[in-house]
Amino acid sequence: MPPCRRSASGYRSVRQRPNGGFYAEIRSGDLRLSLGTYDTAHEAARAFDAASWRLGRPRLQMNFPDVRTLQQALDLAPSPHLNSAQDRAEHTALQRRLLVAQEDERVMAEWRRRHPEDVAYEQEYWEWRREEDTRRRREERLDRRRRKALACAQADLVNAGGRSFFTEEDERWFDIWLSTSDDTDGDGGADDWSD
C-alpha cells in the first residue's frame, strides 16, 4: 500500500478548517475516528500520533517517527478537550438564540406575504427618512459653510489691520476649522466632520 499523502497542513490526517482550526482524524477502511479540532496543526498532529500509538499503528504512518513509545506520544499530545457544564450551557443558549432567530425569520416572511401594503408603507417610510437625513445634513453643512465664511472674513479683516466684531475669546473663531465637504449623497452615514 502506498504511503498516505500529506495534507496541505503538512501533517498526515490533519486538515485545516475554514475557521482556521485544524481537524485530526484516523481513517481505516470504513472506520473514521474523529480526534477533534485544535488551534495549531502541530497539536492536531500530536493528537493523531498519540491515538495511532494506542491503536497499534506502525511508526511509519505517524507524523513524528522520532517518538519511540506510547508514553512519549501521550506526553507530547495536547490535553483532551473537556466539555464543562458551562460549555454545555453556552451551547444550549446559542442553540436557543438560533431557533428564535429562525422562527423570527419565518414569521416575518409570513407577515410580508400576508401584508404587502405594510411592507410597501415601511419601504416608503425608510425612503422618506433617508431623504430627510440628507436634507438635514445639507442644511447643517450649509450652516457650517456660512459660519466658516464669516470667521474667515473676520480673520482676513484682522490680518489686513482692521477690527473684528468678534472678541478675542469668541468661540466663533473656531469656525475657521469647520469642514465644509460637499459629499452629501451616498456617504453611507459617515460623520459630517470628516473631509
Side-chain angles (χ1 to χ4, degrees), residues 147-167 170 172-173 176:
R147 290 171 31 210
K148 182 174 184 168
L150 177 62
C152 289
Q154 292 300 308
D156 291 343
L157 182 66
V158 169
N159 288 338
R163 186 160 182 249
S164 171
F165 59 85
F166 287 178
T167 63
D170 197 326
R172 291 180 288 181
W173 284 115
I176 289 175

Side-chain angles (χ1 to χ4, degrees), residues 28 67-68 76 80 102 108 125 139-140 153 177:
S28 179
V67 176
R68 303 199 183 285
L76 294 171
Q102 289 172 340
M108 286 303 295
Y125 169 77
E139 287 175 359
E140 289 171 356
W177 291 282

Side-chain angles (χ1 to χ4, degrees), residues 55-89:
L55 295 173
R57 292 184 136 193
R59 281 185 26 211
L60 290 175
Q61 293 181 6
M62 296 184 192
N63 291 301
F64 303 100
D66 58 334
V67 176
R68 303 199 183 285
T69 64
L70 170 61
Q71 188 57 45
Q72 244 185 328
L74 292 174
D75 290 342
L76 294 171
S79 58
H81 296 286
L82 299 175
N83 290 332
S84 66
Q86 182 181 358
D87 292 335
R88 287 190 295 278

Side-chain angles (χ1 to χ4, degrees), residues 11 14 20-23 37-45:
Y11 295 104
V14 175
F22 293 88
Y23 176 76
T37 303
Y38 298 88
D39 294 331
T40 65
H42 188 79
E43 287 178 346

Side-chain angles (χ1 to χ4, degrees), residues 180-194:
T180 57
S181 173
D182 288 330
D183 186 19
T184 59
D185 297 325
D187 61 357
D191 64 326
D192 291 335
W193 297 99
S194 61

